[in-house]
Amino acid sequence: MKAPAKNTITIGNCIEVLKRIPDNSVDHCLTDPPYNISGYEGKRAIGWLASNPTWIEGKKFNKIDEEWDKFSSTDYQTFTRDWISEITRVVKPNGNILIFGSYHNIYTVGSCLEMMDLKVNNSIIWYKRNAFPN
């Protein structure tokens, strides 16, 4: 008899996939949600990309531009509250939730967590001396 899988990776819309998972059945959740940096009408360009043509012309850099990463501010907050609600439902009471982010989204995520009366135990900051685009 084949032993049940201990770890699985599921690909799909996170809200739809999470809704299929039973309550309090997951030990830990590691998530890297969209950062909402692809842009939409009226969104400011990333500073270094907008101000330095070298990145576009000389280095042929293309900023992420994916439909799954395009939200208005209101839609992004709604999406964030939705996935956090589902994750907190499926993670066991003493489980852990780790959320990756950048300055583009982490304050929105933190605000949603606070509005949902959820506690942030730790913030881990990776200071990268030669971070992208350098």
CSV table of all heavy atoms in Angstrom, one decimal, residues 59-95:
chain,number,residue,atom,x,y,z
A,59,LYS,N,19.9,47.9,-20.9
A,59,LYS,CA,20.0,46.6,-20.3
A,59,LYS,C,18.7,45.7,-20.6
A,59,LYS,O,18.6,44.6,-20.2
A,59,LYS,CB,20.0,46.7,-18.8
A,59,LYS,CG,21.3,47.5,-18.4
A,59,LYS,CD,21.6,47.4,-16.9
A,59,LYS,CE,22.9,48.1,-16.6
A,59,LYS,NZ,23.7,47.5,-15.7
A,60,LYS,N,17.8,46.3,-21.4
A,60,LYS,CA,16.7,45.6,-21.9
A,60,LYS,C,15.8,45.0,-20.8
A,60,LYS,O,15.3,43.9,-20.9
A,60,LYS,CB,17.0,44.5,-22.9
A,60,LYS,CG,17.9,44.9,-24.0
A,60,LYS,CD,17.1,45.8,-25.0
A,60,LYS,CE,18.0,46.1,-26.2
A,60,LYS,NZ,17.9,47.4,-26.6
A,61,PHE,N,15.7,45.8,-19.7
A,61,PHE,CA,14.9,45.3,-18.5
A,61,PHE,C,13.5,45.6,-18.8
A,61,PHE,O,13.1,46.6,-19.3
A,61,PHE,CB,15.4,46.1,-17.3
A,61,PHE,CG,14.5,45.8,-16.1
A,61,PHE,CD1,14.7,44.6,-15.4
A,61,PHE,CD2,13.5,46.6,-15.7
A,61,PHE,CE1,13.9,44.3,-14.3
A,61,PHE,CE2,12.7,46.4,-14.6
A,61,PHE,CZ,12.9,45.2,-13.9
A,62,ASN,N,12.6,44.6,-18.5
A,62,ASN,CA,11.2,44.7,-18.6
A,62,ASN,C,10.6,44.5,-17.2
A,62,ASN,O,10.8,43.4,-16.6
A,62,ASN,CB,10.6,43.7,-19.5
A,62,ASN,CG,11.0,44.0,-21.0
A,62,ASN,OD1,10.9,45.1,-21.4
A,62,ASN,ND2,11.4,43.0,-21.7
A,63,LYS,N,9.9,45.4,-16.7
A,63,LYS,CA,9.2,45.3,-15.4
A,63,LYS,C,8.1,44.3,-15.5
A,63,LYS,O,7.5,44.1,-16.6
A,63,LYS,CB,8.6,46.7,-15.0
A,63,LYS,CG,7.9,46.7,-13.7
A,63,LYS,CD,7.3,48.0,-13.4
A,63,LYS,CE,6.1,48.4,-14.1
A,63,LYS,NZ,4.9,47.9,-13.6
A,64,ILE,N,7.8,43.6,-14.4
A,64,ILE,CA,6.8,42.6,-14.5
A,64,ILE,C,5.5,43.2,-14.9
A,64,ILE,O,5.2,44.3,-14.6
A,64,ILE,CB,6.6,41.9,-13.1
A,64,ILE,CG1,5.5,40.8,-13.2
A,64,ILE,CG2,6.2,42.9,-12.0
A,64,ILE,CD1,5.4,40.0,-11.9
A,65,ASP,N,4.8,42.6,-15.9
A,65,ASP,CA,3.6,43.1,-16.4
A,65,ASP,C,2.6,41.9,-16.7
A,65,ASP,O,2.5,41.5,-17.8
A,65,ASP,CB,3.9,43.9,-17.7
A,65,ASP,CG,2.6,44.6,-18.2
A,65,ASP,OD1,1.7,44.8,-17.4
A,65,ASP,OD2,2.6,44.9,-19.4
A,66,GLU,N,2.1,41.4,-15.6
A,66,GLU,CA,1.2,40.2,-15.7
A,66,GLU,C,-0.2,40.6,-15.2
A,66,GLU,O,-0.4,41.3,-14.2
A,66,GLU,CB,1.8,39.1,-14.8
A,66,GLU,CG,3.2,38.7,-15.2
A,66,GLU,CD,3.2,37.9,-16.6
A,66,GLU,OE1,2.1,37.4,-16.9
A,66,GLU,OE2,4.2,37.9,-17.2
A,67,GLU,N,-1.2,40.0,-15.8
A,67,GLU,CA,-2.6,40.3,-15.4
A,67,GLU,C,-2.9,39.8,-14.0
A,67,GLU,O,-3.6,40.5,-13.3
A,67,GLU,CB,-3.6,39.6,-16.4
A,67,GLU,CG,-3.6,40.2,-17.8
A,67,GLU,CD,-4.0,41.7,-17.7
A,67,GLU,OE1,-4.9,42.1,-17.0
A,67,GLU,OE2,-3.3,42.5,-18.4
A,68,TRP,N,-2.3,38.8,-13.5
A,68,TRP,CA,-2.5,38.3,-12.2
A,68,TRP,C,-1.9,39.2,-11.1
A,68,TRP,O,-2.2,39.0,-9.9
A,68,TRP,CB,-2.0,36.9,-12.0
A,68,TRP,CG,-0.5,36.7,-12.3
A,68,TRP,CD1,0.0,36.2,-13.5
A,68,TRP,CD2,0.6,37.0,-11.5
A,68,TRP,NE1,1.3,36.1,-13.4
A,68,TRP,CE2,1.7,36.6,-12.2
A,68,TRP,CE3,0.8,37.5,-10.2
A,68,TRP,CZ2,3.0,36.8,-11.7
A,68,TRP,CZ3,2.1,37.7,-9.7
A,68,TRP,CH2,3.2,37.3,-10.5
A,69,ASP,N,-1.2,40.2,-11.5
A,69,ASP,CA,-0.5,41.1,-10.6
A,69,ASP,C,-1.0,42.6,-10.8
A,69,ASP,O,-0.4,43.5,-10.3
A,69,ASP,CB,1.0,41.1,-10.8
A,69,ASP,CG,1.8,41.8,-9.7
A,69,ASP,OD1,1.5,41.7,-8.5
A,69,ASP,OD2,2.6,42.7,-10.1
A,70,LYS,N,-2.2,42.7,-11.4
A,70,LYS,CA,-2.7,44.1,-11.6
A,70,LYS,C,-4.0,44.2,-10.8
A,70,LYS,O,-5.0,43.6,-11.1
A,70,LYS,CB,-3.0,44.3,-13.1
A,70,LYS,CG,-1.8,44.4,-13.9
A,70,LYS,CD,-2.1,44.6,-15.4
A,70,LYS,CE,-0.9,44.6,-16.2
A,70,LYS,NZ,-1.1,44.8,-17.7
A,71,PHE,N,-4.0,45.1,-9.9
A,71,PHE,CA,-5.2,45.4,-9.0
A,71,PHE,C,-5.3,46.9,-8.8
A,71,PHE,O,-4.3,47.6,-8.7
A,71,PHE,CB,-5.0,44.8,-7.6
A,71,PHE,CG,-4.8,43.3,-7.6
A,71,PHE,CD1,-3.6,42.7,-7.7
A,71,PHE,CD2,-6.0,42.5,-7.3
A,71,PHE,CE1,-3.5,41.3,-7.6
A,71,PHE,CE2,-5.8,41.1,-7.3
A,71,PHE,CZ,-4.6,40.5,-7.4
A,72,SER,N,-6.5,47.4,-8.6
A,72,SER,CA,-6.6,48.7,-8.1
A,72,SER,C,-6.3,48.6,-6.6
A,72,SER,O,-6.3,47.5,-6.0
A,72,SER,CB,-8.1,49.2,-8.3
A,72,SER,OG,-9.0,48.5,-7.5
A,73,SER,N,-6.1,49.7,-5.9
A,73,SER,CA,-5.9,49.6,-4.5
A,73,SER,C,-7.0,49.0,-3.7
A,73,SER,O,-6.7,48.1,-2.8
A,73,SER,CB,-5.6,51.1,-3.9
A,73,SER,OG,-4.5,51.6,-4.4
A,74,THR,N,-8.2,49.3,-4.0
A,74,THR,CA,-9.4,48.7,-3.3
A,74,THR,C,-9.4,47.2,-3.6
A,74,THR,O,-9.7,46.4,-2.7
A,74,THR,CB,-10.7,49.4,-3.8
A,74,THR,OG1,-10.6,50.8,-3.4
A,74,THR,CG2,-11.9,48.8,-3.1
A,75,ASP,N,-9.3,46.8,-4.9
A,75,ASP,CA,-9.3,45.4,-5.3
A,75,ASP,C,-8.2,44.6,-4.6
A,75,ASP,O,-8.4,43.5,-4.2
A,75,ASP,CB,-9.3,45.2,-6.8
A,75,ASP,CG,-10.5,45.7,-7.5
A,75,ASP,OD1,-11.6,45.8,-6.8
A,75,ASP,OD2,-10.5,45.9,-8.7
A,76,TYR,N,-7.0,45.2,-4.5
A,76,TYR,CA,-5.9,44.5,-3.8
A,76,TYR,C,-6.2,44.3,-2.4
A,76,TYR,O,-5.9,43.2,-1.8
A,76,TYR,CB,-4.6,45.3,-4.0
A,76,TYR,CG,-3.4,44.5,-3.6
A,76,TYR,CD1,-3.0,43.4,-4.3
A,76,TYR,CD2,-2.7,44.8,-2.4
A,76,TYR,CE1,-1.9,42.6,-3.9
A,76,TYR,CE2,-1.6,44.1,-2.0
A,76,TYR,CZ,-1.2,43.0,-2.8
A,76,TYR,OH,-0.1,42.2,-2.4
A,77,GLN,N,-6.8,45.3,-1.7
A,77,GLN,CA,-7.1,45.1,-0.3
A,77,GLN,C,-8.2,44.0,-0.1
A,77,GLN,O,-8.1,43.2,0.8
A,77,GLN,CB,-7.6,46.4,0.3
A,77,GLN,CG,-6.6,47.4,0.5
A,77,GLN,CD,-7.1,48.8,0.9
A,77,GLN,OE1,-8.3,49.0,1.0
A,77,GLN,NE2,-6.2,49.8,1.1
A,78,THR,N,-9.2,44.0,-1.0
A,78,THR,CA,-10.2,42.9,-1.0
A,78,THR,C,-9.6,41.6,-1.2
A,78,THR,O,-9.8,40.6,-0.4
A,78,THR,CB,-11.3,43.2,-2.0
A,78,THR,OG1,-11.9,44.5,-1.7
A,78,THR,CG2,-12.4,42.1,-2.0
A,79,PHE,N,-8.8,41.4,-2.2
A,79,PHE,CA,-8.1,40.2,-2.5
A,79,PHE,C,-7.2,39.7,-1.3
A,79,PHE,O,-7.3,38.6,-0.9
A,79,PHE,CB,-7.2,40.3,-3.8
A,79,PHE,CG,-6.2,39.2,-4.0
A,79,PHE,CD1,-6.7,38.0,-4.4
A,79,PHE,CD2,-4.9,39.4,-3.8
A,79,PHE,CE1,-5.8,36.9,-4.6
A,79,PHE,CE2,-4.0,38.4,-4.0
A,79,PHE,CZ,-4.4,37.1,-4.4
A,80,THR,N,-6.5,40.7,-0.7
A,80,THR,CA,-5.6,40.3,0.4
A,80,THR,C,-6.4,39.8,1.6
A,80,THR,O,-6.1,38.8,2.2
A,80,THR,CB,-4.8,41.5,0.8
A,80,THR,OG1,-4.0,41.9,-0.4
A,80,THR,CG2,-3.8,41.2,1.9
A,81,ARG,N,-7.5,40.5,1.9
A,81,ARG,CA,-8.4,40.0,3.0
A,81,ARG,C,-8.9,38.7,2.7
A,81,ARG,O,-9.1,37.8,3.6
A,81,ARG,CB,-9.5,41.1,3.3
A,81,ARG,CG,-9.0,42.3,4.1
A,81,ARG,CD,-10.1,43.1,4.6
A,81,ARG,NE,-11.0,43.6,3.6
A,81,ARG,CZ,-10.9,44.8,2.9
A,81,ARG,NH1,-9.9,45.5,3.1
A,81,ARG,NH2,-11.7,45.1,2.0
A,82,ASP,N,-9.3,38.4,1.4
A,82,ASP,CA,-9.9,37.1,1.1
A,82,ASP,C,-8.9,36.0,1.3
A,82,ASP,O,-9.2,34.9,1.8
A,82,ASP,CB,-10.4,37.1,-0.4
A,82,ASP,CG,-11.6,38.0,-0.6
A,82,ASP,OD1,-12.3,38.4,0.4
A,82,ASP,OD2,-12.0,38.3,-1.7
A,83,TRP,N,-7.7,36.1,0.8
A,83,TRP,CA,-6.7,35.0,0.9
A,83,TRP,C,-6.3,34.9,2.4
A,83,TRP,O,-6.1,33.7,2.8
A,83,TRP,CB,-5.5,35.1,-0.1
A,83,TRP,CG,-4.6,36.2,0.0
A,83,TRP,CD1,-4.5,37.3,-0.8
A,83,TRP,CD2,-3.4,36.3,0.9
A,83,TRP,NE1,-3.4,38.1,-0.4
A,83,TRP,CE2,-2.8,37.5,0.6
A,83,TRP,CE3,-3.0,35.5,2.0
A,83,TRP,CZ2,-1.6,37.9,1.3
A,83,TRP,CZ3,-1.8,36.0,2.7
A,83,TRP,CH2,-1.2,37.2,2.3
A,84,ILE,N,-6.1,36.0,3.1
A,84,ILE,CA,-5.8,35.8,4.5
A,84,ILE,C,-6.9,35.1,5.3
A,84,ILE,O,-6.6,34.3,6.1
A,84,ILE,CB,-5.5,37.2,5.1
A,84,ILE,CG1,-4.2,37.8,4.6
A,84,ILE,CG2,-5.4,37.1,6.7
A,84,ILE,CD1,-3.9,39.2,4.9
A,85,SER,N,-8.2,35.4,5.0
A,85,SER,CA,-9.3,34.8,5.6
A,85,SER,C,-9.2,33.3,5.4
A,85,SER,O,-9.5,32.5,6.3
A,85,SER,CB,-10.6,35.3,5.1
A,85,SER,OG,-10.8,36.6,5.5
A,86,GLU,N,-9.0,32.9,4.2
A,86,GLU,CA,-8.9,31.4,3.8
A,86,GLU,C,-7.7,30.8,4.5
A,86,GLU,O,-7.9,29.7,5.0
A,86,GLU,CB,-8.9,31.2,2.3
A,86,GLU,CG,-10.2,31.4,1.7
A,86,GLU,CD,-11.3,30.5,2.2
A,86,GLU,OE1,-11.1,29.3,2.4
A,86,GLU,OE2,-12.4,31.0,2.5
A,87,ILE,N,-6.6,31.4,4.5
A,87,ILE,CA,-5.4,30.8,5.1
A,87,ILE,C,-5.6,30.7,6.6
A,87,ILE,O,-5.3,29.6,7.2
A,87,ILE,CB,-4.1,31.7,4.8
A,87,ILE,CG1,-3.7,31.4,3.4
A,87,ILE,CG2,-3.0,31.3,5.7
A,87,ILE,CD1,-2.6,32.3,2.9
A,88,THR,N,-6.2,31.7,7.3
A,88,THR,CA,-6.4,31.6,8.7
A,88,THR,C,-7.4,30.5,9.1
A,88,THR,O,-7.4,29.9,10.1
A,88,THR,CB,-6.8,32.9,9.4
A,88,THR,OG1,-7.9,33.5,8.7
A,88,THR,CG2,-5.6,33.9,9.2
A,89,ARG,N,-8.3,30.2,8.1
A,89,ARG,CA,-9.3,29.2,8.3
A,89,ARG,C,-8.7,27.8,8.3
A,89,ARG,O,-9.0,26.9,9.1
A,89,ARG,CB,-10.4,29.3,7.3
A,89,ARG,CG,-11.5,28.2,7.4
A,89,ARG,CD,-12.5,28.3,6.2
A,89,ARG,NE,-11.8,28.0,5.0
A,89,ARG,CZ,-11.5,26.8,4.5
A,89,ARG,NH1,-11.7,25.7,5.3
A,89,ARG,NH2,-10.9,26.7,3.3
A,90,VAL,N,-7.7,27.6,7.3
A,90,VAL,CA,-7.2,26.3,7.1
A,90,VAL,C,-6.0,25.9,8.0
A,90,VAL,O,-5.7,24.8,8.3
A,90,VAL,CB,-6.8,26.0,5.6
A,90,VAL,CG1,-8.0,26.2,4.7
A,90,VAL,CG2,-5.6,26.8,5.2
A,91,VAL,N,-5.3,27.0,8.5
A,91,VAL,CA,-4.1,26.7,9.4
A,91,VAL,C,-4.6,26.4,10.8
A,91,VAL,O,-5.5,27.1,11.3
A,91,VAL,CB,-3.1,27.9,9.3
A,91,VAL,CG1,-2.0,27.8,10.4
A,91,VAL,CG2,-2.5,28.1,8.0
A,92,LYS,N,-4.0,25.4,11.4
A,92,LYS,CA,-4.3,25.0,12.7
A,92,LYS,C,-4.1,26.2,13.7
A,92,LYS,O,-3.2,27.1,13.5
A,92,LYS,CB,-3.4,23.8,13.2
A,92,LYS,CG,-3.7,22.6,12.3
A,92,LYS,CD,-2.8,21.4,12.7
A,92,LYS,CE,-3.1,20.2,11.9
A,92,LYS,NZ,-2.1,19.1,12.1
A,93,PRO,N,-4.8,26.2,14.9
A,93,PRO,CA,-4.7,27.3,15.8
A,93,PRO,C,-3.2,27.6,16.2
A,93,PRO,O,-2.9,28.8,16.5
A,93,PRO,CB,-5.5,26.8,17.0
A,93,PRO,CG,-6.5,25.9,16.4
A,93,PRO,CD,-5.8,25.2,15.3
A,94,ASN,N,-2.4,26.7,16.4
A,94,ASN,CA,-1.0,26.9,16.7
A,94,ASN,C,0.0,26.9,15.6
A,94,ASN,O,1.2,26.8,15.7
A,94,ASN,CB,-0.5,26.0,17.8
A,94,ASN,CG,-1.2,26.2,19.2
A,94,ASN,OD1,-1.4,27.4,19.5
A,94,ASN,ND2,-1.4,25.2,19.9
A,95,GLY,N,-0.6,27.0,14.3
A,95,GLY,CA,0.2,26.9,13.1
A,95,GLY,C,0.9,28.3,12.9
A,95,GLY,O,0.7,29.3,13.6
